[in-house]
Amino acid sequence: MTVPRWVRLPSQPMLRHLLLAVAGGAVLYVVTLRISSYDDYQLGEIALYVVALAGLSLLTGTNGQISLGHGAFMAVGAYTVALLMTHTQLNFILELVAAVAAAAVMGLVIGLPATRLKGPYLAGMTLLFALALPPIASKWPATFGGDQGLTTTVPTAPGSLNPEEWLAQIQIVAALVVLVLLANLMRSRYGRSLRAVRDDEIAASLAGIHVARTKVLAFVISAGCAGLAGALLGLSTGVVNTGEFPLTLSIQLLAAMVLGGTGTLMGMWWGAILLVYLPQWSTSLSGRFSLGSGVSAYLATILFGAVLIVVMLVAPTGVQGGLRWAWGHVPGVGRGREPAPAGVSSED
C-alpha cells in the first residue's frame, strides 16, 4: 500500500520527533480536559513512569547495562525537589532541573565503577545501591523527614484548570520532552556509539570509541531521567518518603521496560500503563475473590510476573516489537518482516 506523500513524516529526525510529540501532546491535552480528576492523576503517573522507563531503555536496551537501582535514582530526584521546596523559593522549573542534576551526579558515581562490571555483577552493585539509599532518610530524620517524609506542592494551576489536570499536563510535557531528546540522541553518533559498545566493546574500542566514557554517559543520562521521574512522582503523591521507593519498584521498572520492548521508546508507554494499572487490577481481584492480606500484598507483583512471562512467550521483543511484527504482516502494508532484535532501537 502506497502512503500519500502529504501524510509521510519528515525524514529529518528532529523535525519528525517534534511533529509526533506535538501531535501526541495535543491529543493528551484534550484527554486531560475530558476525564475525571482521578484519571488525570493516573495519566500523569503513566507519563512520569515513561520518563524513568525511557532512560532505563537507553541504558539497558541501547547500551547493554543492567540496572536494578533506578528506584533509588528516582528517590534522589524526589528528595531533591522536596528539600528545595521546603528550604528555598526557587522556580519550579529550576527545582526539576536540580533533581535531574542530582540524580545524574549519583549516576556518575555509580557509573564509574560500573565500567569494570558486567551482567550479574553490575546488577548486584546497583541492587546494593537501591538497598543502601533508603536507610539514609531514617538516619537523618531532621533533614529527610524520617518515616513521615517531606511534603511537596504543585505549582498553582493557571486559569480554570484544577490541580490534577495541571499536574498531569506538566508530567505529559516532561515525558514528551524526554522522549524527543532521547529519540534524537539514539539517532545521533552518540546513539550509534552506545549500540556499538553494547554489541562488542573490543570492536567499538578499535573503531575509536571510548568505551568507559560511553558507558558512564549512558548511566548519567539514564539516572537523570529517573531523577526527573522521581521528582514528578513526589509531586503526584504530595509526600516524599522511603515507602514510595521500595526495592520492588526498581525490579518492576526493569520488568516493565522488557515488557514494553527493550531498546524502544514508544514501547515504554505500554510498560508504564501496566505499572500504573496492575496494582489497581490486583486490588479488584483480591476483593472479588476475598484473598487474604498476605496474598493481596504480593498479588500485583505476581500478576506483573505472569504478564511478563506471557508477553515474552508471545512477543519476545516486547509489546512494541510484537505490534511492529503484526503490522508488517498486514496484507498490502508490510512484507512479513521478522521483528527487530530485542536491543535494536529502531523505534523512535
Side-chain angles (χ1 to χ4, degrees):
M1 180 176 64
T2 303
V3 180
R5 183 177 297 275
W6 63 273
V7 298
R8 294 179 183 175
L9 292 173
S11 58
Q12 207 282 333
M14 173 62 82
L15 185 58
R16 181 172 68 251
H17 299 149
L18 285 175
L19 182 62
L20 289 172
V22 170
V27 172
L28 291 174
Y29 171 75
V30 174
V31 170
T32 60
L33 300 178
R34 300 295 182 91
I35 59 180
S36 67
S37 296
Y38 181 68
D39 289 331
D40 276 325
Y41 170 79
Q42 290 188 312
L43 181 58
E45 281 210 322
I46 291 172
L48 71 89
Y49 280 126
V50 167
V51 174
L53 292 174
L56 186 58
S57 182
L58 174 76
L59 178 68
T60 302
T62 305
N63 193 231
Q65 300 187 81
I66 300 175
S67 172
L68 289 174
H70 264 54
F73 289 128
M74 290 181 65
V76 171
Y79 272 103
T80 300
V81 162
L83 287 169
L84 290 174
M85 286 184 172
T86 302
H87 300 291
T88 70
Q89 298 294 325
L90 282 178
N91 179 272
F92 171 66
I93 301 298
L94 293 179
E95 291 172 342
L96 292 182
V97 171
V100 174
V105 169
M106 189 61 67
L108 176 63
V109 173
I110 300 298
L112 287 173
T115 58
R116 298 180 177 274
L117 300 173
K118 294 182 181 179
Y121 302 103
L122 175 58
M125 186 192 72
T126 55
L127 178 64
L128 181 63
F129 170 60
L131 289 171
L133 192 65
I136 294 177
S138 301
K139 188 173 180 63
W140 289 286
T143 301
F144 298 103
D147 294 334
Q148 299 300 317
L150 302 172
T151 58
T152 60
T153 55
V154 180
T156 304
S160 60
L161 290 177
N162 63 51
E164 290 78 15
E165 289 175 348
W166 177 230
L167 180 57
Q169 290 169 10
I170 291 173
Q171 292 165 330
I172 289 169
V173 169
L176 294 176
V177 169
V178 168
L179 289 176
V180 168
L181 293 177
L182 292 184
N184 282 280
L185 177 67
M186 288 183 174
R187 293 290 184 178
S188 69
R189 65 184 182 90
Y190 296 106
R192 292 190 291 271
S193 297
L194 292 172
R195 290 190 290 273
V197 170
R198 175 201 66 197
D199 294 337
D200 192 325
E201 292 186 12
I202 296 177
S205 179
L206 292 175
I209 298 173
H210 196 296
V211 173
R213 186 185 304 159
T214 301
K215 295 173 76 172
V216 171
L217 175 65
F219 245 107
V220 169
I221 295 173
S222 184
C225 291
L228 176 58
L232 296 174
L233 180 59
L235 293 175
S236 285
T237 58
V239 177
V240 176
N241 55 44
T242 55
E244 296 293 330
F245 307 97
L247 176 61
T248 53
L249 174 60
S250 297
I251 298 173
Q252 288 175 348
L253 286 173
L254 185 62
M257 183 270 299
V258 174
L259 192 149
T262 306
T264 70
L265 293 179
M266 290 301 295
M268 298 306 101
W269 288 97
W270 302 111
I273 288 171
L274 283 174
L275 277 177
V276 171
Y277 283 106
L278 264 181
Q280 178 179 326
W281 296 338
S282 66
T283 301
S284 299
L285 284 175
S286 177
R288 177 173 298 180
F289 294 101
S290 301
L291 300 177
S293 58
V295 176
S296 300
Y298 297 98
L299 186 57
T301 304
I302 294 171
L303 287 177
F304 203 98
V307 171
L308 180 62
I309 291 171
V310 171
V311 171
M312 289 298 96
L313 290 175
V314 176
T317 54
V319 174
Q320 191 66 20
L323 291 176
R324 282 203 307 268
W325 179 86
W327 178 251
H329 281 73
V330 175
V333 175
R335 300 180 179 178
R337 295 186 301 270
E338 292 298 321
V344 175
S345 57
S346 60
E347 178 66 36
D348 293 335

